[in-house]
């Protein structure tokens, strides 16, 4: 089967990680897979090496100074549409709203639902739900949202996780004792609540540092970042903000954490938290239906800064071997091989 997987970036975001891992597992099953994406800012390849059995089509997408989010979205769609060759594939599978709008007919994975105020982005989000002819969600909770909001019936195929890569990691010791969050400083990741929870946590654990990794994004979160920095100053805390972390360094950074914080207000699955479980690190997540579905009793939960702080304190000071075993077993069950096989069955059903 000739399969095109479409993404919007070469850089490390959850949907891009998903796209590459799925492509490699489909290729392992003998399929002819090509990943199409936009090469932003001069990128000629992805943030990590890709199995050579997967073909790559990176479409140049040079930066334009002072370009707003709306025009950048429209240009992204137009550039990818102009380059893409749909007639070369049996299945076209888009992983985000930009790539779903860049083709006339596709399968779409809806990783999570969002609400946007930028008109172009709101239209992109809506059209990328209603225009595809078939839909996949990575959790039943998101699928239920799609059914309720649009009357569609997505199939549910959970994410995989490269559990062995994180389980084998040598813990990073450069930051001392630290609480880790991955995903950057943005509203969906609950970064302001994390600051408040960390300030409460330091009353009991004054030596614990907060380390934040990741955050490559298409959007402009400068105002939110400024509010976050002002709040950090007000609270008297100094988080370590690493930005994007090299692919080979991420497992060690995760494995070295005293606990992993995942206070997102919207998620579709929680791949970064699942990677932390694979590394044997205690995890505390926002109490959301989707995260209850995915993680069950393998993690701690909090609904606001005080309860997040309390759960994180327990995670750091009261290690629970039983919960840790549940977490590692859960991560090991979510394989990309299984996800790829289910995708192939779904493609065949179309």
């Amino acid at each position: 089967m000739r399969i095109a997987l479409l993404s919007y970036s070469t850089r490390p975001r959850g949907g891009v990680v998903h796209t590459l891992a799925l492509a490699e597992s489909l290729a392992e099953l003998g399929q002819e897979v090509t990943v199409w994406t936009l090469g932003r800012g001069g990128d000629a390849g992805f943030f990590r090496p890709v199995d050579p059995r997967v073909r790559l089509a990176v479409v140049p997408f040079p930066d334009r100074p002072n370009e707003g989010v709306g025009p950048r979205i429209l240009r992204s769609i137009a550039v990818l549409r102009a380059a893409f060759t749909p007639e070369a594939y049996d299945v076209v599978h888009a992983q985000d709203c930009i790539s779903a709008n860049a083709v006339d007919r596709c399968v779409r994975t809806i990783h999570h639902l969002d609400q946007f105020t930028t008109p172009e982005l709101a239209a992109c989000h809506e059209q990328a739900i209603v225009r595809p002819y078939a839909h996949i969600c990575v959790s039943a909770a998101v699928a239920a949202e799609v059914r309720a909001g649009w009357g569609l019936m997505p199939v549910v195929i959970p994410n995989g996780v490269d559990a062995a890569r994180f389980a084998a990691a040598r813990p990073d010791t450069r930051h001392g004792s630290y609480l880790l969050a991955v995903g950057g400083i943005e509203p969906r990741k609950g970064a302001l609540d994390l600051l408040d929870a960390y300030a409460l946590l330091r009353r009991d654990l004054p030596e614990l540092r907060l380390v934040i990794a990741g955050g490559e994004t298409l959007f402009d979160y400068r105002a939110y970042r400024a509010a976050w920095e002002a709040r950090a100053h007000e609270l008297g805390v100094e988080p370590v903000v690493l930005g994007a972390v090299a692919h080979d360094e991420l497992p060690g950074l995760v494995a070295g954490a005293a606990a992993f914080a995942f206070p997102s207000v919207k998620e579709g699955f929680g791949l970064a938290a699942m990677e932390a479980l694979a590394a044997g690190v205690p995890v505390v997540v926002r109490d959301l239906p989707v995260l209850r579905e995915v993680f069950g009793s393998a993690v701690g939960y909090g609904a606001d800064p005080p309860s997040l702080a309390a759960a994180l304190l327990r995670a750091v000071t009261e290690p629970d071997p039983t919960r840790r075993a549940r977490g590692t077993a859960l991560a090991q069950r979510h394989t990309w091989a299984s996800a790829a096989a289910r995708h192939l069955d779904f493609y065949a059903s179309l």
Side-chain angles (χ1 to χ4, degrees):
M1 189 179 295
R2 299 170 303 164
I3 303 166
L5 298 182
L6 278 64
S7 184
Y8 73 101
S9 177
T10 58
R11 299 176 185 180
R13 294 289 289 189
V16 181
V17 172
H18 172 109
T19 302
L20 294 181
L22 175 60
E24 290 171 329
S25 293
L26 288 169
E28 179 71 23
L29 294 175
Q31 307 307 305
E32 184 180 308
V33 186
T34 304
V35 175
W36 284 78
T37 194
L38 294 172
R40 301 181 183 279
D43 288 354
F46 282 93
F47 68 94
R48 68 163 176 86
V50 180
D51 188 320
R53 290 174 294 186
V54 175
R55 300 176 183 181
L56 302 179
V58 181
V59 181
F61 190 82
D63 290 339
R64 287 185 180 174
N66 304 315
E67 184 177 36
V69 172
R72 187 160 64 249
I73 294 294
L74 295 179
R75 185 165 65 95
S76 297
I77 293 168
V79 169
L80 187 56
R81 174 178 283 274
F84 183 59
T85 55
E87 67 280 359
Y89 304 100
D90 303 308
V91 173
V92 175
H93 186 171
Q95 297 290 334
D96 52 78
C97 82
I98 288 173
S99 59
N101 277 275
V103 296
D104 291 323
R105 179 172 170 79
C106 69
V107 178
R108 164 82 199 283
T109 292
I110 303 172
H111 291 272
H112 69 275
L113 295 170
D114 223 324
Q115 293 179 330
F116 298 107
T117 56
T118 303
E120 296 90 344
L121 190 51
C124 178
H125 182 269
E126 177 69 17
Q127 292 166 11
I129 295 173
V130 300
R131 291 178 69 245
Y133 71 93
H135 302 79
I136 297 170
C137 290
V138 293
S139 60
V142 176
E145 289 184 76
V146 174
R147 284 196 301 272
W150 288 269
L152 301 170
M153 299 296 291
V155 66
V156 177
I157 304 178
N159 267 324
V161 61
D162 190 351
R165 176 171 170 252
F166 286 84
R170 178 179 298 177
D172 190 332
T173 60
R174 291 174 295 176
H175 301 290
S177 178
Y178 60 95
L179 171 66
L180 178 65
V182 172
I185 300 166
E186 58 183 76
R188 187 172 69 86
K189 295 299 181 181
L192 280 169
D193 276 358
L194 177 59
L195 269 184
D196 287 343
Y198 173 61
L200 294 172
L201 187 59
R202 287 183 73 243
R203 297 175 184 177
D204 295 288
L205 299 171
E207 300 304 317
L208 187 71
R209 307 184 78 183
L210 172 60
V211 176
I212 298 178
E216 196 286 321
T217 180
L218 181 65
F219 308 120
D220 184 356
Y221 292 128
R222 283 177 293 183
Y224 186 86
R225 176 67 178 264
W228 185 88
E229 291 173 347
R231 183 60 176 159
H233 180 74
E234 180 183 349
L235 293 169
V237 298
E238 297 181 358
V240 178
V241 180
L242 299 177
V245 174
H247 179 70
D248 291 341
E249 295 179 6
L250 181 62
L253 182 68
V254 172
F260 188 91
F262 199 70
S264 297
V265 297
K266 283 185 177 291
E267 283 293 341
F269 180 84
L271 181 56
M274 192 67 75
E275 290 170 342
L277 290 183
V281 174
V283 173
V284 172
V285 307
R286 177 87 64 173
D287 197 348
L288 303 176
V290 61
L291 298 181
R292 287 277 181 182
E293 171 199 337
V294 173
F295 294 101
S297 61
V299 301
Y301 294 90
D304 53 21
S307 56
L308 286 165
L312 287 164
L313 179 62
R314 289 192 295 272
V316 174
T317 61
E318 303 172 22
D320 185 340
T322 302
R323 174 173 282 177
R324 175 174 176 166
R326 285 196 297 266
T328 54
L330 176 66
Q332 289 165 1
R333 288 198 299 273
H334 283 282
T335 68
W336 283 113
S338 173
R342 293 182 64 182
H343 275 79
L344 275 182
D345 289 342
F346 182 62
Y347 297 156
S349 77
L350 304 175

